[in-house]
Coordinates of all heavy atoms in Angstrom, one line a residue:
K176 N -20.7 8.5 -34.5 CA -19.8 8.9 -35.6 C -18.9 10.0 -35.0 O -17.8 10.3 -35.6 CB -20.6 9.4 -36.8 CG -21.2 10.8 -36.7 CD -21.8 11.2 -38.0 CE -22.4 12.6 -37.9 NZ -23.0 13.0 -39.2
Y177 N -19.3 10.6 -33.9 CA -18.4 11.6 -33.3 C -17.5 10.9 -32.3 O -18.0 10.2 -31.4 CB -19.3 12.7 -32.6 CG -20.2 13.4 -33.6 CD1 -21.6 13.3 -33.5 CD2 -19.6 14.3 -34.5 CE1 -22.4 14.0 -34.4 CE2 -20.5 15.0 -35.4 CZ -21.8 14.8 -35.3 OH -22.6 15.5 -36.2
C178 N -16.2 11.2 -32.4 CA -15.2 10.5 -31.5 C -15.5 10.7 -30.0 O -15.4 9.7 -29.3 CB -13.8 11.0 -31.9 SG -13.3 10.6 -33.5
R179 N -15.8 11.9 -29.6 CA -16.0 12.1 -28.2 C -17.2 11.4 -27.7 O -17.2 10.9 -26.5 CB -16.2 13.7 -27.9 CG -14.9 14.4 -28.1 CD -15.1 15.9 -28.0 NE -14.0 16.7 -28.4 CZ -13.0 17.1 -27.6 NH1 -13.1 16.8 -26.3 NH2 -11.9 17.7 -28.1
N180 N -18.2 11.2 -28.5 CA -19.4 10.4 -28.1 C -19.0 9.0 -27.8 O -19.5 8.3 -26.9 CB -20.5 10.4 -29.1 CG -21.2 11.8 -29.2 OD1 -20.9 12.7 -28.4 ND2 -22.1 12.0 -30.1
K181 N -18.1 8.4 -28.7 CA -17.6 7.0 -28.4 C -16.9 6.9 -27.1 O -17.1 5.9 -26.4 CB -16.7 6.6 -29.6 CG -17.3 6.5 -30.9 CD -16.3 6.2 -32.0 CE -16.9 6.2 -33.4 NZ -15.9 6.0 -34.4
I182 N -16.1 7.9 -26.8 CA -15.4 7.9 -25.5 C -16.4 7.9 -24.3 O -16.3 7.2 -23.3 CB -14.4 9.0 -25.4 CG1 -13.3 8.8 -26.4 CG2 -13.8 9.2 -24.0 CD1 -12.3 10.0 -26.5
R183 N -17.4 8.8 -24.5 CA -18.4 9.0 -23.4 C -19.3 7.8 -23.3 O -19.6 7.3 -22.2 CB -19.2 10.3 -23.6 CG -20.2 10.5 -22.5 CD -21.0 11.8 -22.7 NE -22.0 11.7 -23.8 CZ -21.8 12.2 -25.0 NH1 -20.8 12.9 -25.3 NH2 -22.8 12.1 -25.9
L184 N -19.7 7.2 -24.4 CA -20.8 6.2 -24.4 C -20.2 4.8 -24.3 O -20.9 3.9 -23.8 CB -21.6 6.3 -25.7 CG -22.4 7.6 -25.9 CD1 -23.0 7.6 -27.3 CD2 -23.4 7.8 -24.8
R185 N -18.9 4.6 -24.7 CA -18.4 3.3 -24.6 C -17.2 3.1 -23.7 O -17.2 2.2 -22.8 CB -17.9 2.8 -26.0 CG -19.0 2.6 -27.0 CD -18.5 2.0 -28.3 NE -19.5 1.8 -29.3 CZ -19.3 1.0 -30.4 NH1 -18.1 0.4 -30.6 NH2 -20.2 0.9 -31.3
V186 N -16.2 4.0 -23.8 CA -15.0 3.8 -23.0 C -15.2 4.0 -21.5 O -14.9 3.1 -20.7 CB -13.9 4.8 -23.5 CG1 -12.7 4.7 -22.7 CG2 -13.6 4.5 -25.0
F187 N -15.8 5.2 -21.1 CA -15.9 5.4 -19.7 C -16.9 4.5 -19.0 O -16.6 4.0 -17.9 CB -16.3 6.9 -19.4 CG -15.1 7.8 -19.3 CD1 -14.8 8.7 -20.2 CD2 -14.2 7.6 -18.2 CE1 -13.7 9.5 -20.1 CE2 -13.1 8.4 -18.1 CZ -12.8 9.3 -19.1
P188 N -18.0 4.1 -19.6 CA -18.9 3.1 -18.9 C -18.2 1.8 -18.7 O -18.3 1.2 -17.6 CB -20.1 2.9 -19.9 CG -20.1 4.3 -20.6 CD -18.7 4.7 -20.8
Y189 N -17.4 1.4 -19.6 CA -16.6 0.1 -19.5 C -15.6 0.2 -18.4 O -15.5 -0.6 -17.5 CB -16.0 -0.3 -20.8 CG -15.1 -1.5 -20.6 CD1 -15.7 -2.8 -20.7 CD2 -13.7 -1.4 -20.4 CE1 -14.9 -3.9 -20.6 CE2 -12.9 -2.6 -20.2 CZ -13.5 -3.8 -20.3 OH -12.8 -5.0 -20.1
V190 N -14.8 1.3 -18.4 CA -13.7 1.5 -17.4 C -14.3 1.7 -16.0 O -13.8 1.1 -15.1 CB -12.9 2.8 -17.8 CG1 -11.9 3.1 -16.7 CG2 -12.1 2.5 -19.1
E191 N -15.4 2.4 -15.9 CA -16.0 2.6 -14.6 C -16.6 1.3 -14.0 O -16.7 1.1 -12.8 CB -17.0 3.8 -14.6 CG -16.4 5.1 -14.8 CD -17.3 6.2 -15.1 OE1 -18.5 5.9 -15.4 OE2 -16.9 7.4 -15.0
K192 N -17.1 0.5 -14.9 CA -17.7 -0.8 -14.5 C -16.6 -1.8 -14.1 O -16.7 -2.5 -13.1 CB -18.6 -1.3 -15.6 CG -19.2 -2.7 -15.2 CD -20.1 -3.2 -16.3 CE -20.7 -4.6 -15.9 NZ -21.5 -5.1 -17.0
E193 N -15.5 -1.9 -15.0 CA -14.6 -3.0 -14.9 C -13.3 -2.6 -14.1 O -12.6 -3.5 -13.6 CB -14.2 -3.4 -16.3 CG -15.3 -4.0 -17.1 CD -15.9 -5.3 -16.6 OE1 -15.2 -6.0 -15.9 OE2 -17.1 -5.6 -16.9
I194 N -13.0 -1.3 -14.0 CA -11.7 -0.9 -13.4 C -11.9 0.0 -12.2 O -11.4 -0.4 -11.1 CB -10.8 -0.2 -14.4 CG1 -10.5 -1.2 -15.6 CG2 -9.5 0.2 -13.8 CD1 -9.7 -0.6 -16.8
N195 N -12.5 1.1 -12.4 CA -12.7 2.1 -11.2 C -13.9 2.9 -11.5 O -14.0 3.6 -12.5 CB -11.4 2.9 -11.1 CG -11.4 3.7 -9.8 OD1 -12.4 4.5 -9.5 ND2 -10.4 3.7 -9.0
N196 N -14.8 2.9 -10.5 CA -16.1 3.7 -10.8 C -15.9 5.2 -10.7 O -16.9 5.9 -10.9 CB -17.2 3.2 -9.8 CG -16.8 3.4 -8.4 OD1 -15.8 3.9 -8.0 ND2 -17.7 2.9 -7.5
R197 N -14.7 5.6 -10.3 CA -14.4 7.1 -10.3 C -13.4 7.5 -11.3 O -12.7 8.4 -11.2 CB -14.0 7.5 -8.9 CG -15.0 7.2 -7.8 CD -14.4 7.4 -6.4 NE -14.0 8.8 -6.2 CZ -13.3 9.2 -5.1 NH1 -12.9 8.3 -4.2 NH2 -12.9 10.4 -5.0
A198 N -13.4 6.7 -12.4 CA -12.3 6.9 -13.4 C -12.4 8.3 -14.0 O -11.3 8.9 -14.1 CB -12.5 5.9 -14.5
A199 N -13.5 8.8 -14.3 CA -13.6 10.2 -14.9 C -13.1 11.2 -13.9 O -12.3 12.1 -14.3 CB -15.0 10.5 -15.3
E200 N -13.4 11.1 -12.7 CA -12.9 12.0 -11.7 C -11.4 12.0 -11.6 O -10.7 13.0 -11.5 CB -13.6 11.7 -10.3 CG -13.1 12.5 -9.2 CD -13.6 12.0 -7.8 OE1 -14.5 11.2 -7.8 OE2 -13.1 12.5 -6.8
H201 N -10.9 10.8 -11.6 CA -9.4 10.6 -11.4 C -8.7 11.1 -12.7 O -7.6 11.8 -12.5 CB -9.1 9.1 -11.2 CG -9.5 8.6 -9.9 ND1 -9.6 7.3 -9.5 CD2 -10.0 9.3 -8.8 CE1 -10.0 7.2 -8.3 NE2 -10.3 8.4 -7.8
V202 N -9.2 10.9 -13.8 CA -8.6 11.5 -15.1 C -8.6 13.0 -15.0 O -7.6 13.6 -15.4 CB -9.3 11.0 -16.3 CG1 -8.8 11.7 -17.6 CG2 -9.1 9.5 -16.5
A203 N -9.7 13.6 -14.6 CA -9.8 15.0 -14.5 C -8.8 15.6 -13.5 O -8.2 16.6 -13.7 CB -11.2 15.5 -14.1
K204 N -8.6 14.9 -12.3 CA -7.6 15.3 -11.3 C -6.2 15.2 -11.9 O -5.4 16.1 -11.7 CB -7.7 14.4 -10.1 CG -8.9 14.8 -9.2 CD -8.9 14.0 -7.9 CE -10.1 14.4 -7.0 NZ -10.1 13.5 -5.8
A205 N -5.9 14.2 -12.6 CA -4.6 14.0 -13.3 C -4.4 15.2 -14.2 O -3.3 15.7 -14.3 CB -4.5 12.7 -14.0
A206 N -5.4 15.6 -14.9 CA -5.3 16.7 -15.9 C -4.9 18.0 -15.2 O -4.1 18.7 -15.7 CB -6.6 16.9 -16.7
R207 N -5.5 18.2 -14.0 CA -5.2 19.4 -13.2 C -3.7 19.4 -12.8 O -3.1 20.4 -12.9 CB -6.1 19.5 -12.0 CG -7.5 19.9 -12.3 CD -8.3 20.4 -11.1 NE -8.5 19.4 -10.2 CZ -9.6 18.6 -10.2 NH1 -10.5 18.7 -11.2 NH2 -9.8 17.7 -9.3
K208 N -3.2 18.3 -12.4 CA -1.8 18.2 -12.0 C -0.9 18.4 -13.2 O 0.1 19.1 -13.1 CB -1.5 16.8 -11.4 CG -2.2 16.6 -10.1 CD -2.0 15.2 -9.6 CE -2.8 14.9 -8.3 NZ -2.7 13.5 -7.8
I209 N -1.3 17.8 -14.4 CA -0.5 18.0 -15.6 C -0.5 19.4 -16.0 O 0.5 20.0 -16.4 CB -1.0 17.1 -16.7 CG1 -0.8 15.6 -16.4 CG2 -0.3 17.4 -18.1 CD1 -1.5 14.7 -17.4
A210 N -1.7 20.1 -15.9 CA -1.8 21.5 -16.2 C -0.9 22.4 -15.4 O -0.2 23.3 -15.9 CB -3.2 22.0 -16.0

């Protein structure tokens, strides 16, 4: 029921399995550049 839990439990596992297994790391790096 908490939005962030949905992202952690559903979105990232799918993305890391189907697209890139380092997705969370890459998003965090992109955030540092945007910052």
